[in-house]
Amino acid sequence: MDELRRLPHSLEAEQAVVGSMLLDSRCIPDAIELLQSGDFYLPAHRDIFETIYEMFLAGDVVDPVTVLGRMRVRGVYDETTSREYVGRLLDATPTAAHVRQYSSIVREQSILRQVAQVAGDIQALALEPAVEAHAVLDSAEQRIYDIRQGRSSQDLYKIPVVLVDVYRQIKELSEAGGRLPGLSTGFPSVDLKIGGLINSNLIILASRPGMGKTSIALNIALHATRSSGKTVVFFSLEMSREQLVKRLLSTEASVDSNVLLTGALSPQDWSKVGAAAAALSNVALLFDDNPAISVAEIKAKCRRVTNLGMIVVDYLQLMQGTPGKRFDNRTTEVGDISRSLKIMAKELDVPVVCLSQLSRETAKRGKKPVLSDLRESGAIEQDADVVLFLHRDDYYNEESTEHNLAQVIIGKNRHGETGEVDLLWEGQYTRFAQEWRQEGQHE
């Protein structure tokens, strides 16, 4: 009884929610939209909610008689109390019309209980001997973020619970006319093969220096934020934010990047740059050019971004491993970074595009890259959901007839096929275009 008084809860609101679901099955979607079984404080309420949830998913008739029968099948029926308690729930529920208000009260009390639990756990962790401060901070931030997002890292999910989410996602895609499951890259042929940039995925974009991987990453980031309305955060460990924005101006205005670099703009160029600057001012694209940032710092910053849609990191080999952690070699450290990036993608539920260097062996061969060319690869290949290589034959071969042809090579795709996509590289504007045609070729 002491615990019952101590922890935040509202037995009346919980009774009203399950009572409403029993009283009128039409209000069940409202309740399951706002609540999970773990939000109920009393175990009996959890059992009834889970039973109704399961029956609703299966399309069964939900009423007091059928629910009691299913509770027997599930082994959560108490012969001495269940029927009597269900009767009391119906008597205690004034109306099913206010189920959303009842559910909001239950959810509010559940959040307060979770916060109290996390506060106690963090206090206990902070008082442990030899604990590292950054570990406590990271744990505290993650646990609070999970509560804010309506998730708990300690939850175990039954198939019926997951099926509801999967069914909702499929239905949304179907109603949208079979749209991409992820954010668009801006290159339809690439989207067609990988399904766009899918939430919780780690996408590795790799090439040798000078191939244009930063440029294509900027192109993708700009298109993704414009097409989705979501915020994209670009972490650059190599180039300054001014350099990146100059590239965006060149791309948007179709003004030679060298002209922007020297400042030798014509009146027409100034007009184009002005229009491009006005257009870019409304784009939800954020930059961070800290050259010594870690995954933990990236995650902490992105947790505070509203309407986060995607994260871009340029590039993997410049990053630091987990602070305070010792590594036997650089390959092990890079593996730790790639694993941390994948975990971050899952926790924040957004696609993470991470640029990566390829080994010098790729340049020596002068051939198209393969997965084994990933520099200091370690676990990169294993952690990535999608690996994209950027290749230009004319970069290695001056006599190449495929001038300005850039190929996106899909070396790994956890969700579909691999293959190649041809793009046009417009180096003077630091951008890629969807269509490439060999010189002299006509439509």
PDB file of all heavy atoms in Angstrom, residues 325-345:
ATOM      1  N   LYS A 325      37.275   5.722 -23.640  1.00  0.00           N
ATOM      2  CA  LYS A 325      37.430   4.311 -23.987  1.00  0.00           C
ATOM      3  C   LYS A 325      38.756   4.101 -24.712  1.00  0.00           C
ATOM      4  O   LYS A 325      39.124   4.893 -25.585  1.00  0.00           O
ATOM      5  CB  LYS A 325      36.264   3.867 -24.874  1.00  0.00           C
ATOM      6  CG  LYS A 325      36.184   2.364 -25.112  1.00  0.00           C
ATOM      7  CD  LYS A 325      34.892   2.024 -25.857  1.00  0.00           C
ATOM      8  CE  LYS A 325      34.765   0.531 -26.095  1.00  0.00           C
ATOM      9  NZ  LYS A 325      33.496   0.191 -26.796  1.00  0.00           N
ATOM     10  N   ARG A 326      39.482   3.059 -24.345  1.00  0.00           N
ATOM     11  CA  ARG A 326      40.791   2.794 -24.957  1.00  0.00           C
ATOM     12  C   ARG A 326      40.644   1.758 -26.061  1.00  0.00           C
ATOM     13  O   ARG A 326      39.906   0.775 -25.925  1.00  0.00           O
ATOM     14  CB  ARG A 326      41.773   2.299 -23.893  1.00  0.00           C
ATOM     15  CG  ARG A 326      41.960   3.290 -22.748  1.00  0.00           C
ATOM     16  CD  ARG A 326      43.023   2.833 -21.786  1.00  0.00           C
ATOM     17  NE  ARG A 326      44.340   2.873 -22.394  1.00  0.00           N
ATOM     18  CZ  ARG A 326      45.470   2.585 -21.731  1.00  0.00           C
ATOM     19  NH1 ARG A 326      45.419   2.247 -20.449  1.00  0.00           N
ATOM     20  NH2 ARG A 326      46.636   2.651 -22.346  1.00  0.00           N
ATOM     21  N   PHE A 327      41.375   1.977 -27.163  1.00  0.00           N
ATOM     22  CA  PHE A 327      41.296   1.090 -28.315  1.00  0.00           C
ATOM     23  C   PHE A 327      42.680   0.562 -28.662  1.00  0.00           C
ATOM     24  O   PHE A 327      43.675   1.280 -28.555  1.00  0.00           O
ATOM     25  CB  PHE A 327      40.710   1.827 -29.519  1.00  0.00           C
ATOM     26  CG  PHE A 327      39.335   2.402 -29.271  1.00  0.00           C
ATOM     27  CD1 PHE A 327      39.178   3.723 -28.871  1.00  0.00           C
ATOM     28  CD2 PHE A 327      38.210   1.606 -29.421  1.00  0.00           C
ATOM     29  CE1 PHE A 327      37.926   4.256 -28.637  1.00  0.00           C
ATOM     30  CE2 PHE A 327      36.949   2.123 -29.187  1.00  0.00           C
ATOM     31  CZ  PHE A 327      36.804   3.442 -28.788  1.00  0.00           C
ATOM     32  N   ASP A 328      42.715  -0.690 -29.101  1.00  0.00           N
ATOM     33  CA  ASP A 328      43.997  -1.310 -29.456  1.00  0.00           C
ATOM     34  C   ASP A 328      44.590  -0.698 -30.715  1.00  0.00           C
ATOM     35  O   ASP A 328      45.801  -0.588 -30.854  1.00  0.00           O
ATOM     36  CB  ASP A 328      43.809  -2.822 -29.666  1.00  0.00           C
ATOM     37  CG  ASP A 328      43.421  -3.534 -28.376  1.00  0.00           C
ATOM     38  OD1 ASP A 328      43.772  -3.016 -27.295  1.00  0.00           O
ATOM     39  OD2 ASP A 328      42.753  -4.584 -28.461  1.00  0.00           O
ATOM     40  N   ASN A 329      43.728  -0.313 -31.647  1.00  0.00           N
ATOM     41  CA  ASN A 329      44.198   0.281 -32.906  1.00  0.00           C
ATOM     42  C   ASN A 329      43.094   1.136 -33.505  1.00  0.00           C
ATOM     43  O   ASN A 329      41.956   1.154 -33.015  1.00  0.00           O
ATOM     44  CB  ASN A 329      44.645  -0.805 -33.895  1.00  0.00           C
ATOM     45  CG  ASN A 329      43.578  -1.885 -34.062  1.00  0.00           C
ATOM     46  OD1 ASN A 329      42.442  -1.582 -34.429  1.00  0.00           O
ATOM     47  ND2 ASN A 329      43.932  -3.131 -33.788  1.00  0.00           N
ATOM     48  N   ARG A 330      43.420   1.839 -34.580  1.00  0.00           N
ATOM     49  CA  ARG A 330      42.473   2.757 -35.206  1.00  0.00           C
ATOM     50  C   ARG A 330      41.305   2.002 -35.846  1.00  0.00           C
ATOM     51  O   ARG A 330      40.171   2.478 -35.841  1.00  0.00           O
ATOM     52  CB  ARG A 330      43.188   3.609 -36.247  1.00  0.00           C
ATOM     53  CG  ARG A 330      42.309   4.607 -36.977  1.00  0.00           C
ATOM     54  CD  ARG A 330      41.602   5.579 -36.057  1.00  0.00           C
ATOM     55  NE  ARG A 330      40.733   6.493 -36.788  1.00  0.00           N
ATOM     56  CZ  ARG A 330      39.811   7.262 -36.236  1.00  0.00           C
ATOM     57  NH1 ARG A 330      39.598   7.213 -34.927  1.00  0.00           N
ATOM     58  NH2 ARG A 330      39.073   8.061 -36.973  1.00  0.00           N
ATOM     59  N   THR A 331      41.572   0.826 -36.380  1.00  0.00           N
ATOM     60  CA  THR A 331      40.501   0.051 -37.001  1.00  0.00           C
ATOM     61  C   THR A 331      39.427  -0.304 -35.979  1.00  0.00           C
ATOM     62  O   THR A 331      38.227  -0.216 -36.264  1.00  0.00           O
ATOM     63  CB  THR A 331      41.067  -1.237 -37.631  1.00  0.00           C
ATOM     64  OG1 THR A 331      42.012  -0.888 -38.648  1.00  0.00           O
ATOM     65  CG2 THR A 331      39.959  -2.083 -38.234  1.00  0.00           C
ATOM     66  N   THR A 332      39.852  -0.685 -34.780  1.00  0.00           N
ATOM     67  CA  THR A 332      38.898  -0.994 -33.711  1.00  0.00           C
ATOM     68  C   THR A 332      38.103   0.242 -33.318  1.00  0.00           C
ATOM     69  O   THR A 332      36.896   0.175 -33.079  1.00  0.00           O
ATOM     70  CB  THR A 332      39.636  -1.548 -32.477  1.00  0.00           C
ATOM     71  OG1 THR A 332      40.436  -2.668 -32.862  1.00  0.00           O
ATOM     72  CG2 THR A 332      38.654  -1.978 -31.403  1.00  0.00           C
ATOM     73  N   GLU A 333      38.791   1.396 -33.284  1.00  0.00           N
ATOM     74  CA  GLU A 333      38.116   2.632 -32.912  1.00  0.00           C
ATOM     75  C   GLU A 333      37.075   3.031 -33.963  1.00  0.00           C
ATOM     76  O   GLU A 333      35.958   3.438 -33.618  1.00  0.00           O
ATOM     77  CB  GLU A 333      39.142   3.760 -32.741  1.00  0.00           C
ATOM     78  CG  GLU A 333      38.520   5.062 -32.243  1.00  0.00           C
ATOM     79  CD  GLU A 333      39.553   6.134 -31.965  1.00  0.00           C
ATOM     80  OE1 GLU A 333      40.721   5.959 -32.387  1.00  0.00           O
ATOM     81  OE2 GLU A 333      39.199   7.151 -31.336  1.00  0.00           O
ATOM     82  N   VAL A 334      37.437   2.908 -35.258  1.00  0.00           N
ATOM     83  CA  VAL A 334      36.493   3.226 -36.327  1.00  0.00           C
ATOM     84  C   VAL A 334      35.291   2.281 -36.264  1.00  0.00           C
ATOM     85  O   VAL A 334      34.147   2.683 -36.487  1.00  0.00           O
ATOM     86  CB  VAL A 334      37.178   3.162 -37.701  1.00  0.00           C
ATOM     87  CG1 VAL A 334      36.149   3.237 -38.831  1.00  0.00           C
ATOM     88  CG2 VAL A 334      38.178   4.300 -37.844  1.00  0.00           C
ATOM     89  N   GLY A 335      35.549   1.012 -35.934  1.00  0.00           N
ATOM     90  CA  GLY A 335      34.451   0.061 -35.763  1.00  0.00           C
ATOM     91  C   GLY A 335      33.517   0.472 -34.642  1.00  0.00           C
ATOM     92  O   GLY A 335      32.293   0.347 -34.751  1.00  0.00           O
ATOM     93  N   ASP A 336      34.081   0.990 -33.546  1.00  0.00           N
ATOM     94  CA  ASP A 336      33.271   1.481 -32.423  1.00  0.00           C
ATOM     95  C   ASP A 336      32.420   2.671 -32.867  1.00  0.00           C
ATOM     96  O   ASP A 336      31.248   2.795 -32.483  1.00  0.00           O
ATOM     97  CB  ASP A 336      34.185   1.883 -31.267  1.00  0.00           C
ATOM     98  CG  ASP A 336      33.424   2.510 -30.103  1.00  0.00           C
ATOM     99  OD1 ASP A 336      32.784   1.761 -29.340  1.00  0.00           O
ATOM    100  OD2 ASP A 336      33.472   3.748 -29.965  1.00  0.00           O
ATOM    101  N   ILE A 337      32.991   3.539 -33.693  1.00  0.00           N
ATOM    102  CA  ILE A 337      32.261   4.710 -34.181  1.00  0.00           C
ATOM    103  C   ILE A 337      31.102   4.292 -35.075  1.00  0.00           C
ATOM    104  O   ILE A 337      29.973   4.783 -34.928  1.00  0.00           O
ATOM    105  CB  ILE A 337      33.207   5.652 -34.946  1.00  0.00           C
ATOM    106  CG1 ILE A 337      34.274   6.219 -34.013  1.00  0.00           C
ATOM    107  CG2 ILE A 337      32.428   6.791 -35.606  1.00  0.00           C
ATOM    108  CD1 ILE A 337      35.420   6.904 -34.732  1.00  0.00           C
ATOM    109  N   SER A 338      31.370   3.365 -36.005  1.00  0.00           N
ATOM    110  CA  SER A 338      30.300   2.949 -36.921  1.00  0.00           C
ATOM    111  C   SER A 338      29.165   2.265 -36.166  1.00  0.00           C
ATOM    112  O   SER A 338      27.989   2.466 -36.474  1.00  0.00           O
ATOM    113  CB  SER A 338      30.853   2.014 -38.010  1.00  0.00           C
ATOM    114  OG  SER A 338      31.206   0.751 -37.478  1.00  0.00           O
ATOM    115  N   ARG A 339      29.509   1.486 -35.149  1.00  0.00           N
ATOM    116  CA  ARG A 339      28.472   0.831 -34.344  1.00  0.00           C
ATOM    117  C   ARG A 339      27.656   1.878 -33.583  1.00  0.00           C
ATOM    118  O   ARG A 339      26.427   1.775 -33.493  1.00  0.00           O
ATOM    119  CB  ARG A 339      29.120  -0.158 -33.361  1.00  0.00           C
ATOM    120  CG  ARG A 339      28.112  -0.944 -32.528  1.00  0.00           C
ATOM    121  CD  ARG A 339      27.217  -1.774 -33.399  1.00  0.00           C
ATOM    122  NE  ARG A 339      26.183  -2.452 -32.653  1.00  0.00           N
ATOM    123  CZ  ARG A 339      25.008  -2.791 -33.152  1.00  0.00           C
ATOM    124  NH1 ARG A 339      24.718  -2.495 -34.411  1.00  0.00           N
ATOM    125  NH2 ARG A 339      24.112  -3.416 -32.424  1.00  0.00           N
ATOM    126  N   SER A 340      28.331   2.883 -33.054  1.00  0.00           N
ATOM    127  CA  SER A 340      27.644   3.953 -32.318  1.00  0.00           C
ATOM    128  C   SER A 340      26.717   4.743 -33.244  1.00  0.00           C
ATOM    129  O   SER A 340      25.629   5.164 -32.835  1.00  0.00           O
ATOM    130  CB  SER A 340      28.656   4.892 -31.681  1.00  0.00           C
ATOM    131  OG  SER A 340      29.452   4.209 -30.723  1.00  0.00           O
ATOM    132  N   LEU A 341      27.142   4.943 -34.489  1.00  0.00           N
ATOM    133  CA  LEU A 341      26.297   5.644 -35.461  1.00  0.00           C
ATOM    134  C   LEU A 341      25.033   4.850 -35.761  1.00  0.00           C
ATOM    135  O   LEU A 341      23.938   5.409 -35.884  1.00  0.00           O
ATOM    136  CB  LEU A 341      27.076   5.905 -36.753  1.00  0.00           C
ATOM    137  CG  LEU A 341      28.162   6.986 -36.686  1.00  0.00           C
ATOM    138  CD1 LEU A 341      29.025   6.939 -37.944  1.00  0.00           C
ATOM    139  CD2 LEU A 341      27.549   8.378 -36.519  1.00  0.00           C
ATOM    140  N   LYS A 342      25.172   3.531 -35.890  1.00  0.00           N
ATOM    141  CA  LYS A 342      24.007   2.685 -36.150  1.00  0.00           C
ATOM    142  C   LYS A 342      23.045   2.722 -34.962  1.00  0.00           C
ATOM    143  O   LYS A 342      21.821   2.813 -35.141  1.00  0.00           O
ATOM    144  CB  LYS A 342      24.457   1.248 -36.435  1.00  0.00           C
ATOM    145  CG  LYS A 342      23.320   0.241 -36.555  1.00  0.00           C
ATOM    146  CD  LYS A 342      22.322   0.633 -37.637  1.00  0.00           C
ATOM    147  CE  LYS A 342      21.139  -0.327 -37.686  1.00  0.00           C
ATOM    148  NZ  LYS A 342      20.079   0.116 -38.620  1.00  0.00           N
ATOM    149  N   ILE A 343      23.581   2.651 -33.750  1.00  0.00           N
ATOM    150  CA  ILE A 343      22.741   2.724 -32.553  1.00  0.00           C
ATOM    151  C   ILE A 343      22.021   4.068 -32.495  1.00  0.00           C
ATOM    152  O   ILE A 343      20.833   4.141 -32.165  1.00  0.00           O
ATOM    153  CB  ILE A 343      23.590   2.494 -31.288  1.00  0.00           C
ATOM    154  CG1 ILE A 343      24.096   1.046 -31.250  1.00  0.00           C
ATOM    155  CG2 ILE A 343      22.795   2.812 -30.024  1.00  0.00           C
ATOM    156  CD1 ILE A 343      25.119   0.777 -30.170  1.00  0.00           C
ATOM    157  N   MET A 344      22.735   5.144 -32.833  1.00  0.00           N
ATOM    158  CA  MET A 344      22.128   6.472 -32.842  1.00  0.00           C
ATOM    159  C   MET A 344      20.977   6.545 -33.842  1.00  0.00           C
ATOM    160  O   MET A 344      19.920   7.132 -33.550  1.00  0.00           O
ATOM    161  CB  MET A 344      23.178   7.534 -33.171  1.00  0.00           C
ATOM    162  CG  MET A 344      22.616   8.951 -33.234  1.00  0.00           C
ATOM    163  SD  MET A 344      23.876  10.214 -33.567  1.00  0.00           S
ATOM    164  CE  MET A 344      24.249   9.858 -35.287  1.00  0.00           C
ATOM    165  N   ALA A 345      21.165   5.962 -35.022  1.00  0.00           N
ATOM    166  CA  ALA A 345      20.110   5.972 -36.031  1.00  0.00           C
ATOM    167  C   ALA A 345      18.850   5.291 -35.510  1.00  0.00           C
ATOM    168  O   ALA A 345      17.731   5.769 -35.729  1.00  0.00           O
ATOM    169  CB  ALA A 345      20.599   5.285 -37.312  1.00  0.00           C
TER     170      ALA A 345
END
